Short mmCIF file of all heavy atoms in Angstrom, two decimals:
data_model
loop_
_atom_site.label_atom_id
_atom_site.label_comp_id
_atom_site.label_asym_id
_atom_site.label_seq_id
_atom_site.Cartn_x
_atom_site.Cartn_y
_atom_site.Cartn_z
N ALA A 500 -11.03 -11.35 11.07
CA ALA A 500 -9.70 -11.04 10.54
C ALA A 500 -9.75 -11.17 9.02
O ALA A 500 -10.79 -11.51 8.45
CB ALA A 500 -8.66 -12.00 11.13
N CYS A 501 -8.62 -10.92 8.37
CA CYS A 501 -8.54 -11.06 6.91
C CYS A 501 -7.37 -11.97 6.52
O CYS A 501 -6.35 -11.99 7.22
CB CYS A 501 -8.26 -9.71 6.24
SG CYS A 501 -9.48 -8.46 6.56
N GLY A 502 -7.49 -12.62 5.38
CA GLY A 502 -6.38 -13.35 4.76
C GLY A 502 -5.76 -14.37 5.69
O GLY A 502 -6.44 -15.20 6.32
N THR A 503 -4.44 -14.32 5.78
CA THR A 503 -3.70 -15.25 6.62
C THR A 503 -4.16 -15.17 8.07
O THR A 503 -4.29 -16.20 8.76
CB THR A 503 -2.19 -14.92 6.50
OG1 THR A 503 -1.78 -15.30 5.18
CG2 THR A 503 -1.35 -15.63 7.51
N SER A 504 -4.42 -13.97 8.55
CA SER A 504 -4.85 -13.81 9.94
C SER A 504 -6.19 -14.50 10.16
O SER A 504 -6.47 -15.03 11.25
CB SER A 504 -4.96 -12.32 10.28
OG SER A 504 -3.71 -11.70 10.11
N TYR A 505 -7.02 -14.50 9.13
CA TYR A 505 -8.31 -15.21 9.21
C TYR A 505 -8.07 -16.72 9.36
O TYR A 505 -8.73 -17.40 10.15
CB TYR A 505 -9.13 -14.90 7.94
CG TYR A 505 -10.31 -15.80 7.70
CD1 TYR A 505 -11.43 -15.74 8.52
CD2 TYR A 505 -10.30 -16.71 6.65
CE1 TYR A 505 -12.52 -16.58 8.30
CE2 TYR A 505 -11.38 -17.55 6.42
CZ TYR A 505 -12.49 -17.48 7.24
OH TYR A 505 -13.55 -18.32 7.03
N ILE A 547 -7.61 -10.36 14.74
CA ILE A 547 -6.25 -10.84 14.54
C ILE A 547 -5.67 -10.08 13.35
O ILE A 547 -6.32 -9.99 12.30
CB ILE A 547 -6.21 -12.35 14.21
CG1 ILE A 547 -7.06 -13.14 15.22
CG2 ILE A 547 -4.79 -12.88 14.18
CD1 ILE A 547 -7.31 -14.58 14.80
N SER A 548 -4.49 -9.52 13.53
CA SER A 548 -3.90 -8.77 12.42
C SER A 548 -2.40 -8.62 12.62
O SER A 548 -1.95 -8.35 13.73
CB SER A 548 -4.55 -7.37 12.35
OG SER A 548 -3.92 -6.58 11.39
N GLN A 549 -1.65 -8.80 11.56
CA GLN A 549 -0.22 -8.53 11.62
C GLN A 549 -0.02 -7.03 11.79
O GLN A 549 0.61 -6.59 12.74
CB GLN A 549 0.44 -9.04 10.32
CG GLN A 549 1.96 -9.01 10.31
CD GLN A 549 2.57 -7.63 10.17
OE1 GLN A 549 3.38 -7.21 11.02
NE2 GLN A 549 2.19 -6.87 9.16
N SER A 550 -0.57 -6.26 10.85
CA SER A 550 -0.29 -4.82 10.79
C SER A 550 -1.07 -4.02 11.82
O SER A 550 -0.62 -2.97 12.27
CB SER A 550 -0.65 -4.29 9.41
OG SER A 550 -2.04 -4.51 9.17
N GLY A 551 -2.28 -4.46 12.13
CA GLY A 551 -3.15 -3.67 13.00
C GLY A 551 -3.72 -2.45 12.30
O GLY A 551 -4.33 -1.59 12.93
N GLU A 552 -3.54 -2.38 10.96
CA GLU A 552 -4.08 -1.23 10.22
C GLU A 552 -5.00 -1.68 9.09
O GLU A 552 -5.40 -0.87 8.26
CB GLU A 552 -2.94 -0.37 9.63
CG GLU A 552 -1.96 0.19 10.63
CD GLU A 552 -2.56 1.24 11.59
OE1 GLU A 552 -3.70 1.70 11.34
OE2 GLU A 552 -1.89 1.55 12.59
N THR A 553 -5.30 -2.97 9.00
CA THR A 553 -6.15 -3.47 7.91
C THR A 553 -7.54 -2.82 8.01
O THR A 553 -8.23 -2.95 9.04
CB THR A 553 -6.23 -5.01 7.98
OG1 THR A 553 -4.90 -5.50 7.88
CG2 THR A 553 -7.08 -5.59 6.89
N THR A 556 -10.64 -4.96 9.03
CA THR A 556 -10.60 -5.47 10.41
C THR A 556 -10.88 -4.32 11.39
O THR A 556 -11.62 -4.48 12.36
CB THR A 556 -9.23 -6.13 10.68
OG1 THR A 556 -8.96 -7.04 9.62
CG2 THR A 556 -9.20 -6.86 12.00
N LEU A 582 -5.46 -0.78 15.63
CA LEU A 582 -6.25 -1.90 16.19
C LEU A 582 -5.93 -2.08 17.67
O LEU A 582 -6.84 -2.26 18.49
CB LEU A 582 -5.90 -3.19 15.43
CG LEU A 582 -6.91 -4.31 15.53
CD1 LEU A 582 -8.18 -3.97 14.78
CD2 LEU A 582 -6.33 -5.60 14.98
N GLU A 597 7.55 -7.59 9.58
CA GLU A 597 7.43 -8.58 8.51
C GLU A 597 7.44 -7.81 7.20
O GLU A 597 6.56 -7.00 6.93
CB GLU A 597 6.13 -9.38 8.66
CG GLU A 597 6.09 -10.61 7.80
CD GLU A 597 4.80 -11.40 8.00
OE1 GLU A 597 3.71 -10.83 7.78
OE2 GLU A 597 4.87 -12.57 8.36
N GLY A 599 8.28 -9.29 3.84
CA GLY A 599 7.71 -10.03 2.71
C GLY A 599 6.20 -9.83 2.71
O GLY A 599 5.57 -9.90 3.77
N VAL A 600 5.65 -9.58 1.53
CA VAL A 600 4.20 -9.35 1.48
C VAL A 600 3.44 -10.60 1.94
O VAL A 600 2.44 -10.50 2.64
CB VAL A 600 3.78 -8.91 0.04
CG1 VAL A 600 2.28 -9.07 -0.16
CG2 VAL A 600 4.19 -7.46 -0.20
N ALA A 601 3.96 -11.76 1.60
CA ALA A 601 3.30 -13.00 2.04
C ALA A 601 3.61 -13.22 3.52
O ALA A 601 4.76 -13.30 3.92
CB ALA A 601 3.80 -14.18 1.21
N SER A 602 2.56 -13.33 4.29
CA SER A 602 2.72 -13.43 5.73
C SER A 602 3.19 -14.82 6.14
O SER A 602 2.64 -15.82 5.69
CB SER A 602 1.35 -13.14 6.35
OG SER A 602 1.49 -12.89 7.71
N THR A 603 4.22 -14.90 6.96
CA THR A 603 4.74 -16.21 7.40
C THR A 603 4.88 -16.24 8.92
O THR A 603 4.08 -16.84 9.62
CB THR A 603 6.11 -16.50 6.74
OG1 THR A 603 6.98 -15.38 6.95
CG2 THR A 603 5.96 -16.78 5.27
N ALA A 605 4.27 -13.95 10.97
CA ALA A 605 3.13 -13.34 11.66
C ALA A 605 2.09 -14.42 11.97
O ALA A 605 1.51 -14.46 13.06
CB ALA A 605 2.51 -12.24 10.81
N GLN A 609 0.79 -15.63 15.57
CA GLN A 609 -0.64 -15.45 15.89
C GLN A 609 -1.21 -16.73 16.47
O GLN A 609 -1.98 -16.72 17.44
CB GLN A 609 -1.42 -15.10 14.61
CG GLN A 609 -1.22 -13.67 14.13
CD GLN A 609 -1.73 -13.45 12.72
OE1 GLN A 609 -2.09 -14.40 12.01
NE2 GLN A 609 -1.77 -12.20 12.29
N GLU A 683 -4.17 -21.99 4.29
CA GLU A 683 -3.03 -21.07 4.35
C GLU A 683 -1.96 -21.49 3.33
O GLU A 683 -1.36 -20.65 2.66
CB GLU A 683 -2.48 -21.03 5.78
CG GLU A 683 -1.23 -20.21 5.98
CD GLU A 683 -1.36 -18.74 5.58
OE1 GLU A 683 -2.47 -18.27 5.30
OE2 GLU A 683 -0.31 -18.08 5.51
N LEU A 686 -3.14 -20.38 -0.03
CA LEU A 686 -3.02 -18.92 -0.18
C LEU A 686 -1.57 -18.53 -0.47
O LEU A 686 -1.30 -17.72 -1.36
CB LEU A 686 -3.52 -18.22 1.10
CG LEU A 686 -3.41 -16.68 1.10
CD1 LEU A 686 -4.31 -16.06 0.03
CD2 LEU A 686 -3.76 -16.10 2.45
N LYS A 687 -0.63 -19.14 0.28
CA LYS A 687 0.79 -18.83 0.07
C LYS A 687 1.19 -19.14 -1.36
O LYS A 687 1.82 -18.35 -2.03
CB LYS A 687 1.70 -19.63 1.00
CG LYS A 687 1.81 -19.23 2.45
CD LYS A 687 2.45 -17.91 2.73
CE LYS A 687 1.44 -16.82 2.67
NZ LYS A 687 0.75 -16.45 3.88
N GLU A 690 -0.41 -16.72 -3.94
CA GLU A 690 0.00 -15.31 -3.94
C GLU A 690 1.42 -15.09 -4.42
O GLU A 690 1.71 -14.07 -5.02
CB GLU A 690 -0.27 -14.61 -2.60
CG GLU A 690 0.52 -15.07 -1.43
CD GLU A 690 0.09 -14.38 -0.14
OE1 GLU A 690 -0.36 -13.22 -0.17
OE2 GLU A 690 0.21 -15.02 0.92
N LEU A 803 -0.40 -7.09 -5.11
CA LEU A 803 -0.67 -7.19 -3.67
C LEU A 803 0.07 -6.11 -2.89
O LEU A 803 1.12 -5.64 -3.31
CB LEU A 803 -0.24 -8.56 -3.15
CG LEU A 803 -0.99 -9.76 -3.73
CD1 LEU A 803 -0.45 -11.05 -3.14
CD2 LEU A 803 -2.48 -9.65 -3.46
N ALA A 804 -0.48 -5.78 -1.73
CA ALA A 804 0.15 -4.80 -0.86
C ALA A 804 0.29 -5.42 0.52
O ALA A 804 -0.50 -6.28 0.90
CB ALA A 804 -0.71 -3.56 -0.77
N LYS A 805 1.29 -5.00 1.26
CA LYS A 805 1.53 -5.59 2.57
C LYS A 805 0.45 -5.21 3.57
O LYS A 805 -0.02 -6.02 4.34
CB LYS A 805 2.91 -5.15 3.08
CG LYS A 805 3.27 -5.72 4.44
CD LYS A 805 3.44 -7.24 4.38
CE LYS A 805 3.68 -7.88 5.72
NZ LYS A 805 3.44 -9.32 5.67
N SER A 806 0.12 -3.93 3.55
CA SER A 806 -0.81 -3.50 4.56
C SER A 806 -2.01 -2.88 3.85
O SER A 806 -1.88 -1.88 3.16
CB SER A 806 -0.09 -2.49 5.45
OG SER A 806 -0.93 -2.08 6.47
N VAL A 807 -3.17 -3.55 3.97
CA VAL A 807 -4.32 -3.13 3.16
C VAL A 807 -5.14 -2.11 3.94
O VAL A 807 -6.13 -2.44 4.59
CB VAL A 807 -5.15 -4.36 2.72
CG1 VAL A 807 -6.22 -3.94 1.73
CG2 VAL A 807 -4.24 -5.39 2.08
C1 F6R B 911 -1.25 -13.15 2.97
C2 F6R B 911 -1.34 -11.88 3.66
C3 F6R B 911 -2.68 -11.24 3.77
C4 F6R B 911 -2.86 -10.64 5.16
C5 F6R B 911 -4.16 -9.84 5.24
C6 F6R B 911 -4.42 -9.32 6.64
O1 F6R B 911 0.07 -13.64 2.97
O2 F6R B 911 -0.37 -11.34 4.10
O3 F6R B 911 -3.71 -12.14 3.47
O4 F6R B 911 -2.85 -11.69 6.09
O5 F6R B 911 -4.10 -8.77 4.34
O6 F6R B 911 -3.41 -8.48 7.06
P1 F6R B 911 -3.21 -8.14 8.59
O7 F6R B 911 -2.81 -9.41 9.27
O8 F6R B 911 -2.10 -7.12 8.62
O9 F6R B 911 -4.51 -7.61 9.09
#
Side-chain angles (χ1 to χ4, degrees):
C501 301
T503 289
S504 300
Y505 165 70
I547 311 169
S548 174
Q549 188 286 124
S550 61
E552 301 293 348
T553 301
T556 310
L582 200 70
E597 193 178 58
V600 163
S602 195
T603 52
Q609 285 167 350
E683 175 58 10
L686 178 65
K687 284 293 87 91
E690 66 185 329
L803 297 179
K805 180 66 185 163
S806 182
V807 188

